[in-house]
Amino acid sequence: MLPSPQPLGLIDPDGKRTAYRGHPLPPPEVLRELHRRMVIGRRFDRQAGALTRQGRLAVYPSSHGQEACQIGGVLALGPGDWLFPTYRDSVALLTRGIDPVEVLTLLRGSWHSGYDPYRYKTGPQCTPLATNALHAVGLADAARRRGDDVAVLVLMGDGATSEGDAHEAFNFAAVYGAPVVFLIQNNGWAISVPLEKQSKAPTLAHKAVGYGIPGRLVDGNDAAIVYAVVHDALEKARGGGGPTVVEAVTYRIEAHTNADDPTRYRDDEEVAAWRRRDPIDRMEAYLRGNGLIDDAALDGVRAEAEEVAAGVRERMRADDHVAPAELFAHVYAEQTPQLREQAALLAAELAADADVDQEVPA
Amino acid sequence: MLPSPQPLGLIDPDGKRTAYRGHPLPPPEVLRELHRRMVIGRRFDRQAGALTRQGRLAVYPSSHGQEACQIGGVLALGPGDWLFPTYRDSVALLTRGIDPVEVLTLLRGSWHSGYDPYRYKTGPQCTPLATNALHAVGLADAARRRGDDVAVLVLMGDGATSEGDAHEAFNFAAVYGAPVVFLIQNNGWAISVPLEKQSKAPTLAHKAVGYGIPGRLVDGNDAAIVYAVVHDALEKARGGGGPTVVEAVTYRIEAHTNADDPTRYRDDEEVAAWRRRDPIDRMEAYLRGNGLIDDAALDGVRAEAEEVAAGVRERMRADDHVAPAELFAHVYAEQTPQLREQAALLAAELAADADVDQEVPA
Amino acid sequence: MIATMAAALNAALRDCLREDPSVIVFGEDVGPLGGVFRVTDGLAREFGEERCFDTPLAESGIVGTAVGMAMYGLRPVVEMQFDAFAYPAFEQIASHVAKMRNRTRGRVALPMVIRIPYGGGIGGVEHHCDSSEAYYTHTAGLRVVTPGTPADAYWMLRQAVASPDPVVFLEPKRRYWARGEVDPAVPGTPMDRAVVRREGTDVTLLAYGPMVQTALEAAEAAAEEGWSAEVIDLRSLSPFDDETVTASVRRTGRAVVVHEAQSFCGYGAEVAARVTERCFHHLHAPVLRVGGFDIPYPPPALEEHHLPGVDRILDAVARLQWEHA
Amino acid sequence: MIATMAAALNAALRDCLREDPSVIVFGEDVGPLGGVFRVTDGLAREFGEERCFDTPLAESGIVGTAVGMAMYGLRPVVEMQFDAFAYPAFEQIASHVAKMRNRTRGRVALPMVIRIPYGGGIGGVEHHCDSSEAYYTHTAGLRVVTPGTPADAYWMLRQAVASPDPVVFLEPKRRYWARGEVDPAVPGTPMDRAVVRREGTDVTLLAYGPMVQTALEAAEAAAEEGWSAEVIDLRSLSPFDDETVTASVRRTGRAVVVHEAQSFCGYGAEVAARVTERCFHHLHAPVLRVGGFDIPYPPPALEEHHLPGVDRILDAVARLQWEHA
Ligand SMILES: Cc1ncc(C[n+]2csc(CCOP(=O)(O)OP(=O)(O)O)c2C)c(N)n1
Ligand SMILES: Cc1ncc(C[n+]2csc(CCOP(=O)(O)OP(=O)(O)O)c2C)c(N)n1
Ligand SMILES: [Mg+2]
Ligand SMILES: [Mg+2]
């Protein structure tokens, strides 16, 4: 009933296969794909950081350090499965195949969610903490009720587990037997609050016990174990085996967002120690050490990552004009008379402004 | 780390000492007091039921069957300790020494809480489920911060554990090391919803694991074990040992409240089976079997119970007039100008009505 | 048929479940018990526990899972057991239910209904009698409706379930047992329109839900005093039917809005403000509000003093500066 | 001293912590980080983690434990990180914080302060810019106040902490970095009174928090158009200072109320309704409301179109039927 006291891992920080045999190592093509996506994700993340410093994004919460969780989780999803991400999970969304510009719509401030949740079977990035966990349970359970072969993966942070909604989500999932996997990215911090001020449980995976759900503790910087365990849990969920809680122990290398100042609450040394457990380095070491990747392939991946970044740079240069009238477009299925009135008011204001602009001598 | 799989008990349903030796049996005078209070509590509960049928109470949620939990818990409290009850816990309040008429103020509809929380170190009866658990944690933690020798007991139902606030309360208590004991009266039902639709955990005590709190599972119809375990937990809490979750397995013999119709959702047989596990019968059997009580003493207890009931009957006959002006008296420390205006309006209405009444020819 | 409001609501749910397989009903005690007000009586038996079922006891959980279910194409109809017990779901309602369509640029609709028994007048103890409508009407993206008669209860609930928008459906507890004619064959007025319940020429009484009946009684009494009162049942609190209301007040030149909720920042404030904005030069007197006092809902012993009744409405009518007529 | 509003709030908390050992400050990230807006900067260091500390990430937990602490004699000052993140605490606020004194017949007071940074204008993403004041002002038992200047920020927070009633203290985010004179030696106006910020004779502009500055700018612009506008900073949203407001509007005969929140059932509705009730025969035109549209708070790209600005206020002033003057 209790999760393992130590995080499960398949590949250790030095890129060596661990002694753990409870899950098979994913096949080479999956490992290579995990690596490739992590390299691209890291590059994308760096690009987003740069755009933020240039003032092109309103805010950016970095995924740096958490690529193994996000990518391991997303690649484990089957074709009919759904994903419910948070604000932190840009790299997960990129990996999900969502247009990077649509991923950044929220953070750029053009609109709230930038992509079509149905097209990508992906909920909007969720900011009110833990609320998405309930949406995930609901959607999973709806699929179960319909008899569809669908499982759902929801991403949440360590801090989010303290919210009442996390508890209610775990409990509803257990009671309904909903096909949902809760992947907790325990990155050690909720903004400035360390895990030891958040919970006294031996691990967050232990929370599963109180719901009669299996809890798994994994090394969140080992993409192979995250993939394997989430894959397993999703399969089990689809087969009617109910929910699983997976805690992936990882680290947020950057500040909480660009607006944050981590020097106020944590040591550089802690960061440095975690850099030595980098998820990409270790996967690369494993792939190299086992002859699964060569320099040419690596260069190819890096070039692809540069291309993605260049594409983002390029496309983010274009102005993302949003028509003011859209303010009123999506509040109800049909605009209410009230909103029509207000839309007309704004339109008149804008027309008047335009007239004034034209009056200004050239 | 895991609670016992079977409920701990000191006295079995037949009134025999169990084999369990993890807690000492409370001394005879405590057992006699537990018994005496249960007999009085049961009689009070019956009286309240009668008053409800007579239309003198707006609503009454019965404690019948749960006396061992409520009384075992309350008698375990030390002189500086606090209690946070729910609407279900009239017998706990009576045992706490609160004037029975004040206990019934809420249910009679005269006011909300009828007693002075400071006088009795007892929070008001709480209806929004699980919200009182947070109040208990806060008060306990305030006492801890002040260095006072105070622990807090909070009562909650099985259904209430599903609320987000229950989770947040367990977690805050654990993180703060607050001196609080959560006594879950698992009476099998949340109105019409059975426990198996509420939780898939092996027991509710298992929920403690996810917070790093000890969880104890006890026979909730054995007042001795409830007393012993809660007493222990409170002592530990006062000593800086932090919170404990205690699940007491019991049963709600009556309907949820007088407004409920349990025939719609449960069998008489289930009730009958639990009647055979009656907390008073078993304690009486133990006391008799061990020569700790004789017929005279028993008669004395019963007479005392009748006296309490008669007192309640008598005093509840008196009209409990509440002045309409009190509507405005306790909203703020001082009445705001707004409320003064409204109070004047009502006073004028009442005066006009009185005039009209006087105009009516005698 | 003649039915109580509770029975009319029950019939509406039954017909929705029958006609649309995507409709599901869930909440606390709505299954075998049929709800504490019996509004879901018999539904679990008739449609099975997969379509009408009890949930764990957690309101945020109920609403939050309903969001996910609606995203997947179901039409959840959830019950909050009493007004004040919807508050734990407030974040899900305000931040997701109300906003999902807007957040996703129109891509994700949430056709769901949150049924909330509300208001007082039933001798209920604390937390069981709140009039919480203004919390929802101030939240864009929600439709907020409340029936005042059994016929409206039936038809408005059917329309709410069919609506592509999320609807907060407020059920006036004290009217659950009131009887009236319900004809499931004759479609009702659209739920976003107000209805003139009684015609009059001197003053417009604006009421909804639990107060419609009281307003009608006040109009009756007013007639005896020589005032012809028009009574409008607002029905849709959000959006507001300006057309019907404005036409009436422009004609009568006087208006009183009535509700149980505390007056301060209550729904009546909006009604008074917007009617005044739109009818200012037709008004002989300010639009008056007759609402609850600005206090927490009182204990049963005092509720009669708190709740607006016929006398208080008449007093307001009397204060409408008839001398200026 | 010249200080930003954030610094003034920080100074107030520091002085409260110094003077009253029962004051404690807690919330998410208020400890070593000093809060995401740095309002609690340095307090954990100066007063120790027992008096200023980080909590687990759960708003209902924060408010609910504060209730228990206040019952025990502490004076908790809690921070909700942003407006929309106070919603999980709504049940604790509405059912307990607001009602505890009343529930216990006056025996249990809850002197506590819930600080909520609110409103928009800072380019914040969704859920970070809600104007949630009306949810609280419609809840009897709460005091709801909001400062518009650094000096008020300092003094009103001091008074809020000293108040025997629970106070929802709304901090206008976009004014955190605005500077102004703060004199901790000269006690400020009582927090339950409105203040005339600029005198005028033709029209009264009623504003609070984030909109006070905008209203002052509008008054300036109005002067150029020949209208003398009086500007009142309401400060206390609940209770409402009728005396100050009524006196002004009776004098000017015209009023416009301004806020960021959606207008429908917004705070401005109450202001318009009550001012009209009390000043009807002095009014030349209906009290107009200039508020946000009835939509969810928009993304940064569009917020300038949503938020009331000087022009929109002037347009409202222009519509006050000057031809009837
Ligand atoms: C309900 C709610 N409360 C507060 C916040 C403000 N907030 C945003 S992120 C954050 C910390 C979250 O920590 P964690 O869950 O560990 O996720 P991480 O940012 O580390 O990925 C907080 C407090 C929020 N978004 N939602
Ligand atoms: C937040 C909230 N939701 C719903 C209710 C309505 N309600 C009152 S009692 C009850 C069942 C409670 O069950 P449990 O916690 O097991 O306590 P019991 O009544 O069995 O003692 C419900 C749903 C409530 N009081 N509070
Ligand atoms: Mg984290
Ligand atoms: Mg129960």
Side-chain angles (χ1 to χ4, degrees):
Chain A
M1 182 176 307
L2 294 178
S4 60
Q6 292 302 317
L8 306 177
L10 291 168
I11 302 176
D12 77 12
D14 298 324
K16 300 273 181 300
R17 180 75 177 85
T18 64
Y20 176 67
R21 290 292 174 274
H23 287 82
L25 192 69
E29 64 276 14
V30 169
L31 297 180
R32 273 192 298 257
E33 181 64 2
L34 287 166
H35 171 263
R36 175 176 158 261
R37 298 289 201 154
M38 288 198 287
V39 172
I40 295 172
R42 175 76 52 89
R43 186 62 190 86
F44 171 83
D45 200 78
R46 195 145 56 83
Q47 183 58 57
L51 289 168
T52 312
R53 284 186 299 278
Q54 293 159 26
R56 290 178 177 273
L57 295 184
V59 61
Y60 186 72
S62 164
S63 298
H64 188 161
Q66 303 182 212
E67 294 89 351
C69 302
Q70 294 185 23
I71 293 168
V74 167
L75 290 187
L77 288 162
D81 294 348
W82 272 74
L83 174 70
F84 279 84
T86 75
Y87 56 89
R88 168 79 57 219
D89 303 307
S90 297
V91 164
L93 296 175
L94 185 73
T95 307
R96 191 79 173 130
I98 301 177
D99 179 328
V101 172
E102 293 181 0
V103 169
L104 295 176
T105 301
L106 170 76
L107 306 164
R108 185 183 201 178
S110 309
W111 197 263
H112 309 300
S113 176
Y115 48 89
D116 180 353
Y118 290 113
R119 173 159 175 209
Y120 300 106
K121 295 200 168 75
T122 301
Q125 289 126 304
C126 185
T127 298
L129 294 161
T131 55
N132 60 330
L134 282 166
H135 308 161
V137 172
L139 189 136
D141 197 56
R144 182 191 65 75
R145 281 172 203 276
R146 288 249 167 112
D148 295 347
D149 196 29
V150 169
V152 178
L153 178 68
V154 52
L155 302 178
M156 45 201 304
D158 46 303
T161 65
S162 294
E163 291 280 5
D165 272 10
H167 165 74
E168 299 187 14
F170 295 154
N171 194 44
F172 275 67
V175 169
Y176 292 168
V180 57
V181 177
F182 302 94
L183 177 56
I184 303 170
Q185 296 182 64
N186 171 5
N187 63 8
W189 295 89
I191 308 186
S192 71
V193 182
L195 186 64
E196 62 267 24
K197 288 193 193 169
Q198 203 68 248
S199 171
K200 293 293 177 203
T203 75
L204 297 175
H206 278 77
K207 292 194 174 287
V209 174
Y211 307 95
I213 304 181
R216 308 260 175 265
L217 180 68
V218 304
D219 180 340
N221 283 17
D222 173 4
I225 189 74
V226 174
Y227 174 89
V229 166
V230 171
H231 194 273
D232 231 44
L234 288 167
E235 204 158 77
K236 177 171 164 236
R238 272 183 241 108
T244 304
V245 172
V246 181
E247 173 186 359
V249 182
T250 181
Y251 195 75
R252 192 194 78 211
I253 295 290
E254 308 286 335
H256 171 71
T257 69
N258 52 298
D260 180 36
D261 174 9
T263 64
R264 287 177 164 251
Y265 56 81
R266 74 181 186 186
D267 288 338
D268 287 351
E269 271 173 39
E270 183 178 297
V271 184
W274 277 94
R275 280 188 192 274
R276 288 193 290 276
R277 302 175 54 89
D278 188 81
I280 302 183
D281 290 353
R282 100 165 58 173
M283 183 62 86
E284 212 160 289
Y286 180 84
L287 292 175
R288 271 186 190 282
N290 290 273
L292 297 173
I293 202 167
D294 59 16
D295 282 349
L298 257 177
D299 286 348
V301 167
R302 290 193 189 122
E304 194 186 346
E306 285 308 322
E307 234 173 89
V308 169
V312 171
R313 250 189 338 264
E314 176 59 32
R315 293 181 52 213
M316 290 291 288
R317 220 169 268 147
D319 195 38
D320 190 20
H321 178 73
V322 192
E326 205 175 340
L327 283 173
F328 309 99
H330 316 299
V331 186
Y332 298 96
E334 272 184 56
Q335 249 174 62
T336 61
Q338 223 162 292
L339 288 181
R340 276 200 301 274
E341 250 179 40
Q342 296 178 16
L345 205 108
L346 177 60
E349 278 182 13
L350 293 170
D353 286 357
D355 286 353
V356 171
D357 286 352
Q358 291 192 339
E359 279 167 30
V360 175
Chain B
M1 182 177 304
L2 294 178
S4 61
Q6 292 302 319
L8 306 178
L10 291 168
I11 301 176
D12 76 12
D14 299 323
K16 300 275 181 300
R17 181 75 175 87
T18 65
Y20 176 67
R21 289 294 175 275
H23 286 83
L25 192 69
E29 63 278 14
V30 170
L31 297 179
R32 274 192 297 259
E33 183 63 1
L34 287 166
H35 171 263
R36 174 176 159 262
R37 297 290 201 154
M38 287 198 289
V39 172
I40 295 172
R42 174 75 54 90
R43 185 64 190 83
F44 170 84
D45 200 77
R46 195 144 57 82
Q47 183 57 58
L51 289 168
T52 311
R53 283 186 299 277
Q54 292 158 26
R56 290 180 176 275
L57 295 185
V59 62
Y60 185 72
S62 163
S63 297
H64 188 161
Q66 303 181 213
E67 294 89 350
C69 301
Q70 294 185 24
I71 292 169
V74 167
L75 291 187
L77 288 162
D81 294 348
W82 273 73
L83 174 70
F84 280 84
T86 75
Y87 55 89
R88 167 82 54 220
D89 303 308
S90 296
V91 164
L93 297 174
L94 185 73
T95 307
R96 191 78 175 133
I98 300 178
D99 180 328
V101 172
E102 292 181 1
V103 170
L104 296 176
T105 303
L106 170 76
L107 305 165
R108 184 184 202 178
S110 309
W111 197 263
H112 309 299
S113 176
Y115 49 88
D116 179 352
Y118 290 113
R119 173 159 176 211
Y120 299 107
K121 295 199 168 74
T122 300
Q125 290 128 302
C126 185
T127 298
L129 294 161
T131 56
N132 60 331
L134 282 166
H135 308 161
V137 173
L139 189 135
D141 197 56
R144 182 191 64 75
R145 281 171 202 278
R146 287 247 166 114
D148 295 348
D149 198 28
V150 168
V152 178
L153 178 68
V154 52
L155 302 178
M156 46 202 302
D158 46 306
T161 64
S162 294
E163 290 280 6
D165 272 10
H167 165 73
E168 299 187 14
F170 296 155
N171 195 43
F172 275 67
V175 169
Y176 292 168
V180 58
V181 177
F182 302 93
L183 178 54
I184 302 170
Q185 296 183 63
N186 171 5
N187 63 8
W189 296 89
I191 310 185
S192 71
V193 182
L195 186 64
E196 62 268 24
K197 288 192 193 170
Q198 203 68 249
S199 171
K200 293 293 177 202
T203 76
L204 297 175
H206 278 76
K207 294 195 173 287
V209 174
Y211 307 95
I213 304 181
R216 307 259 175 266
L217 180 68
V218 305
D219 180 340
N221 283 16
D222 174 3
I225 189 74
V226 175
Y227 175 88
V229 166
V230 171
H231 194 273
D232 231 43
L234 288 167
E235 204 157 79
K236 177 169 165 241
R238 272 183 241 107
T244 305
V245 171
V246 181
E247 174 186 359
V249 182
T250 181
Y251 196 76
R252 194 194 78 211
I253 296 289
E254 307 287 336
H256 172 71
T257 68
N258 52 298
D260 180 36
D261 174 9
T263 64
R264 287 177 164 251
Y265 55 81
R266 72 181 188 187
D267 287 339
D268 286 351
E269 269 172 40
E270 184 178 297
V271 184
W274 277 94
R275 279 188 193 275
R276 288 192 291 276
R277 301 176 55 87
D278 188 81
I280 303 183
D281 290 352
R282 101 165 59 174
M283 182 63 86
E284 213 161 287
Y286 180 85
L287 292 175
R288 271 186 190 284
N290 291 273
L292 295 174
I293 202 167
D294 59 16
D295 283 348
L298 257 177
D299 286 347
V301 167
R302 290 192 189 123
E304 196 185 345
E306 285 307 323
E307 233 171 89
V308 169
V312 170
R313 248 186 341 261
E314 176 59 31
R315 292 181 54 214
M316 290 292 288
R317 219 168 270 147
D319 195 38
D320 190 19
H321 179 73
V322 192
E326 204 174 340
L327 284 173
F328 310 98
H330 316 298
V331 187
Y332 297 97
E334 273 184 55
Q335 249 173 62
T336 60
Q338 223 162 291
L339 288 180
R340 277 201 302 273
E341 252 179 39
Q342 296 177 17
L345 205 108
L346 177 60
E349 279 182 12
L350 293 170
D353 286 356
D355 286 353
V356 172
D357 286 352
Q358 290 192 341
E359 278 166 29
V360 175
Chain C
M1 66 184 191
I2 299 287
T4 63
M5 184 179 283
L9 292 165
N10 181 264
L13 290 175
R14 179 169 282 111
D15 290 346
C16 289
L17 282 160
R18 259 189 212 138
E19 290 176 21
D20 182 349
S22 66
V23 173
I24 49 172
V25 172
F26 55 96
E28 294 157 9
D29 302 293
V30 302
L33 182 63
V36 296
F37 295 106
R38 304 294 183 266
V39 170
T40 57
D41 192 26
L43 301 182
R45 205 179 331 111
E46 183 170 344
F47 299 97
E49 289 254 350
E50 279 293 309
R51 300 204 50 212
C52 175
F53 53 95
D54 291 329
T55 64
L57 210 170
E59 293 77 10
S60 188
I62 293 169
V63 174
T65 53
V67 167
M69 290 180 177
M71 282 184 77
Y72 199 75
L74 298 184
R75 288 191 173 250
V77 181
V78 303
E79 175 174 309
M80 303 278 98
Q81 201 160 81
F82 284 85
D83 29 62
F85 307 144
Y87 300 156
F90 194 71
E91 181 188 33
Q92 285 288 352
I93 295 175
S95 291
H96 291 298
V97 176
K99 293 182 178 158
M100 187 64 83
R101 179 188 293 276
N102 190 63
R103 293 178 61 216
T104 60
R105 228 162 176 164
R107 290 164 180 136
V108 178
L110 289 184
M112 58 186 276
V113 178
I114 303 176
R115 293 181 39 242
I116 310 181
Y118 80 120
I122 57 160
V125 296
E126 55 172 359
H127 311 297
H128 289 77
C129 300
D130 282 16
S131 287
S132 41
E133 62 270 24
Y135 298 135
Y136 306 111
T137 54
H138 185 52
T139 305
L142 301 175
R143 288 183 180 271
V144 184
V145 303
T146 182
T149 67
D152 266 4
Y154 178 85
W155 280 111
M156 289 170 75
L157 185 50
R158 302 252 2 215
Q159 293 168 17
V161 173
S163 170
D165 297 315
V167 180
V168 172
F169 193 90
L170 297 168
E171 302 175 0
K173 259 177 245 128
R174 64 150 108 177
R175 306 295 300 160
Y176 270 141
W177 305 281
R179 299 176 159 275
E181 176 65 32
V182 178
D183 186 347
V186 181
T189 311
M191 70 171 183
D192 58 354
R193 299 308 303 254
V195 155
V196 177
R197 290 270 174 235
R198 175 191 171 110
E199 299 198 343
T201 53
D202 298 338
V203 53
T204 304
L205 303 183
L206 299 158
Y208 54 88
M211 282 288 123
V212 173
Q213 183 56 33
T214 312
L216 285 168
E217 287 162 22
E220 200 67 45
E224 285 170 32
E225 315 243 338
W227 292 306
S228 162
E230 178 142 310
V231 177
I232 293 184
D233 178 353
L234 294 175
R235 302 170 84 252
S236 175
L237 304 187
S238 179
F240 186 84
D241 179 357
D242 284 302
E243 197 180 329
T244 305
V245 172
T246 303
S248 171
V249 178
R250 290 201 177 145
R251 204 159 21 74
T252 61
R254 288 181 173 83
V256 174
V257 49
V258 187
H259 59 57
E260 287 191 14
Q262 84 160 31
S263 299
F264 194 74
C265 292
Y267 188 73
E270 175 62 37
V271 176
R274 70 192 296 121
V275 167
T276 307
E277 282 160 11
R278 283 153 208 257
C279 309
F280 188 71
H281 290 294
H282 299 80
L283 287 175
H284 303 299
V287 177
L288 292 184
R289 295 179 282 168
V290 177
F293 296 120
D294 298 332
I295 60 174
Y297 197 88
L302 296 181
E303 69 178 347
E304 59 161 326
H305 298 298
H306 174 66
L307 291 171
V310 168
D311 286 351
R312 219 168 267 166
I313 298 173
L314 282 185
D315 286 350
V317 170
R319 278 186 288 125
L320 289 173
Q321 316 192 353
W322 298 95
E323 61 282 12
H324 298 265
Chain D
M1 66 183 191
I2 299 286
T4 63
M5 185 179 283
L9 293 165
N10 181 264
L13 290 175
R14 179 169 283 111
D15 290 347
C16 290
L17 282 159
R18 261 190 211 136
E19 289 176 22
D20 182 348
S22 66
V23 173
I24 50 172
V25 172
F26 56 95
E28 294 156 9
D29 303 292
V30 302
L33 181 63
V36 294
F37 294 106
R38 304 295 182 266
V39 170
T40 58
D41 192 25
L43 301 182
R45 205 179 331 113
E46 183 170 342
F47 299 97
E49 289 253 350
E50 278 293 308
R51 302 209 42 216
C52 175
F53 54 94
D54 292 328
T55 64
L57 210 170
E59 293 78 8
S60 188
I62 293 168
V63 174
T65 53
V67 167
M69 290 180 178
M71 281 185 77
Y72 199 76
L74 298 184
R75 288 189 175 252
V77 181
V78 303
E79 176 174 308
M80 304 278 98
Q81 201 161 81
F82 285 84
D83 28 63
F85 306 144
Y87 300 156
F90 194 72
E91 180 187 33
Q92 285 288 352
I93 295 174
S95 292
H96 291 298
V97 175
K99 293 183 178 157
M100 187 64 83
R101 178 188 294 275
N102 191 63
R103 293 180 60 217
T104 60
R105 228 163 176 162
R107 290 164 179 136
V108 178
L110 289 184
M112 58 186 277
V113 178
I114 304 177
R115 293 181 38 241
I116 310 182
Y118 81 121
I122 58 160
V125 296
E126 55 172 359
H127 312 296
H128 289 76
C129 299
D130 283 14
S131 288
S132 41
E133 62 270 25
Y135 298 135
Y136 306 111
T137 54
H138 186 51
T139 306
L142 301 174
R143 288 184 180 271
V144 184
V145 303
T146 182
T149 67
D152 266 5
Y154 178 86
W155 279 112
M156 290 170 73
L157 185 50
R158 302 252 1 215
Q159 293 168 18
V161 174
S163 169
D165 297 315
V167 180
V168 172
F169 193 90
L170 297 168
E171 303 174 0
K173 261 177 245 127
R174 63 150 107 178
R175 306 296 299 160
Y176 270 141
W177 305 280
R179 299 176 159 277
E181 177 65 32
V182 178
D183 187 347
V186 181
T189 312
M191 69 171 184
D192 58 353
R193 300 309 302 256
V195 156
V196 176
R197 291 269 174 235
R198 175 191 171 111
E199 300 199 341
T201 53
D202 298 337
V203 53
T204 305
L205 302 183
L206 300 157
Y208 53 89
M211 282 289 122
V212 173
Q213 182 57 32
T214 312
L216 286 167
E217 288 162 22
E220 200 67 44
E224 286 171 30
E225 315 243 339
W227 292 306
S228 163
E230 178 143 309
V231 177
I232 294 185
D233 178 353
L234 295 175
R235 301 169 85 251
S236 175
L237 304 187
S238 178
F240 185 84
D241 180 357
D242 285 303
E243 198 181 328
T244 304
V245 172
T246 304
S248 171
V249 178
R250 289 199 178 147
R251 204 159 23 72
T252 60
R254 288 181 173 83
V256 174
V257 49
V258 186
H259 57 57
E260 287 191 14
Q262 82 159 32
S263 298
F264 194 74
C265 293
Y267 188 73
E270 175 62 38
V271 176
R274 70 193 295 122
V275 167
T276 307
E277 282 160 12
R278 283 152 208 257
C279 309
F280 187 71
H281 289 294
H282 298 81
L283 287 175
H284 303 300
V287 177
L288 293 185
R289 297 178 283 168
V290 177
F293 297 120
D294 298 332
I295 60 174
Y297 196 86
L302 296 181
E303 70 177 346
E304 59 161 327
H305 298 298
H306 174 66
L307 291 170
V310 168
D311 286 351
R312 218 168 267 167
I313 298 172
L314 282 186
D315 286 350
V317 170
R319 279 186 286 127
L320 289 173
Q321 315 190 350
W322 298 96
E323 62 280 13
H324 298 266

